[in-house]
């Protein structure tokens, strides 16, 4: 490949990474649709949906996560870790949620670590109260 002299190696790296990053951001929603929405509702549940829920709706989940972890980066790190290794001792959601639905099954193997970060940032930026933004 013919590379013009003014393009340094680091410029080339930056150019090749940039589109991947913006793709990742747009991808948060589609990851959620594919990997989370079968369990977590995106909207406030209707009475009918309330009866059939198999996990807490995302707005409630994120209200509790943000109350406990107001810092965005900490909250995202918490969610990415919880996706890989859920545990009752870590859970920030209501104890009633775990009593009713059981612990979230680990999503390890279902998501790469990068996808876990992307979808964690998406749920943080999309659901629950918008303080600290
Ligand atoms: C098979 C069903 C299922 C899938 C798939 C699922 N979850 Fe969950 N999730 C649950 C259940 C049940 C709970 C509530 C119990 C708990 O907190 O472990 C929960 C809890 C959570 C919590 C709160 C953890 C806490 O502090 O208690 C977060 C955040 C979360 N899910 C995010 C996600 C995201 C993001 C995805 C998609 C990548 C996802 N979940 C996929 C069932 C699921």
């Amino acid at each position: 490949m013919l590379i013009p002299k003014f393009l340094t190696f680091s410029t080339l790296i930056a150019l090749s990474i940039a589109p991947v990053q913006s793709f990742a951001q747009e991808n948060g929603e589609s990851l959620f649709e594919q990997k989370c929405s079968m369990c977590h509702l995106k909207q406030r549940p209707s009475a009918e949906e309330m009866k059939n829920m198999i996990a807490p709706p995302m707005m409630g989940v994120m209200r509790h996560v943000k109350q406990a972890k107001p810092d965005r980066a900490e909250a995202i790190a918490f969610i990415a870790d919880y996706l890989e290794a859920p545990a009752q001792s870590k859970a920030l959601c209501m104890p009633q949620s775990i009593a009713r639905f059981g612990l979230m099954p680990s999503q390890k193997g279902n998501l790469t670590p990068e996808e876990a970060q992307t979808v964690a940032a998406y749920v943080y930026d999309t659901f629950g109260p918008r303080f600290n933004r």
Side-chain angles (χ1 to χ4, degrees), residues 3 9 15 17 21 27 31 39 52 58-59 61 66 70 80 94 104 108 113 116 121 130-131 133:
I3 301 173
F9 185 64
L15 286 173
I17 287 174
Q21 278 175 342
N27 218 21
L31 279 171
C39 292
N52 301 323
M58 218 52 212
M59 66 189 66
V61 166
K66 288 180 181 182
M94 305 277 281
M104 174 160 99
K108 194 178 180 178
R130 287 175 189 264
F131 53 80
R133 290 197 54 208

Side-chain angles (χ1 to χ4, degrees), residues 85-133:
Q88 189 146 7
S89 59
K90 297 179 188 169
L92 302 175
C93 70
M94 305 277 281
Q96 300 93 290
S97 275
I98 296 187
R100 175 174 170 190
F101 304 115
L103 204 62
M104 174 160 99
S106 170
Q107 302 301 301
K108 194 178 180 178
N110 197 18
L111 290 165
T112 65
E114 293 74 32
E115 287 175 330
Q117 289 289 332
T118 301
V119 78
Y122 167 77
V123 296
Y124 184 91
D125 292 337
T126 310
F127 303 101
R130 287 175 189 264
F131 53 80
N132 284 311
R133 290 197 54 208

